Amino acid sequence: MRLIHVLPEEEAAFVAVGYAKLTDRLVVRLAASRPGSIHFLNGLYDENCDDQPVMAIPGHSFHDLSGMHDQQHVDLDKRFMDVAASHQRVMSPAHVPNVVDEAIRMTLAQRTVVHITIPKDVPEWRSSNGA
């Protein structure tokens, strides 16, 4: 695993496109909350058209503000609907391994874009196993 930090998000999207095409490896892209994730879309469309395995993980609002039209609200599921083959929202820390495992399997097997949303407060929660 290697982290390549690129800003702004538009440039990061195309760096990821190039990396995926040149290496033929799974690319995981992380974005800032809401509006920052919109800048990923051009890159995702390019990757989707070229059958590149990509996992998009944009930031999201607090879980209890989802759908409440808070400041800078963006419905990420709708925005990613026509470019990603799968959409999952992490509901707890214990949910992460299963969601990520399924997303990796799907994107590699189908050579497609998958989308995972993680509300910004979920990483602060303690998982049910005490971790």
Side-chain angles (χ1 to χ4, degrees), residues 7-86:
L7 289 175
E9 288 91 349
E10 295 95 335
E11 289 179 26
F14 289 107
V15 167
V17 168
Y19 186 83
K21 288 178 182 180
L22 289 172
T23 65
D24 202 36
R25 297 169 111 181
L26 170 66
V27 172
V28 178
R29 292 207 263 137
L30 306 172
S33 295
R34 300 154 310 199
S37 62
I38 299 303
H39 300 293
F40 267 1
L41 289 175
N42 285 337
L44 290 174
Y45 282 109
D46 191 4
E47 291 158 338
N48 194 24
C49 287
D50 290 338
D51 299 322
Q52 297 301 315
V54 176
M55 188 182 328
I57 306 177
H60 203 277
S61 61
F62 293 98
H63 81 284
D64 57 347
L65 294 179
S66 183
M68 300 304 299
H69 304 287
D70 61 323
Q71 182 182 17
Q72 297 184 332
H73 172 77
V74 174
D75 188 335
L76 295 175
D77 292 335
K78 287 183 181 175
R79 294 285 181 252
F80 286 79
M81 187 62 67
D82 63 337
V83 72
S86 172

Side-chain angles (χ1 to χ4, degrees), residues 103-121:
I104 290 171
R105 290 173 189 271
M106 177 179 233
T107 193
L108 290 175
Q110 298 180 17
R111 302 204 50 85
T112 190
V113 173
V114 296
H115 167 233
I116 298 174
T117 298
I118 303 175
K120 70 189 306 182
D121 52 342

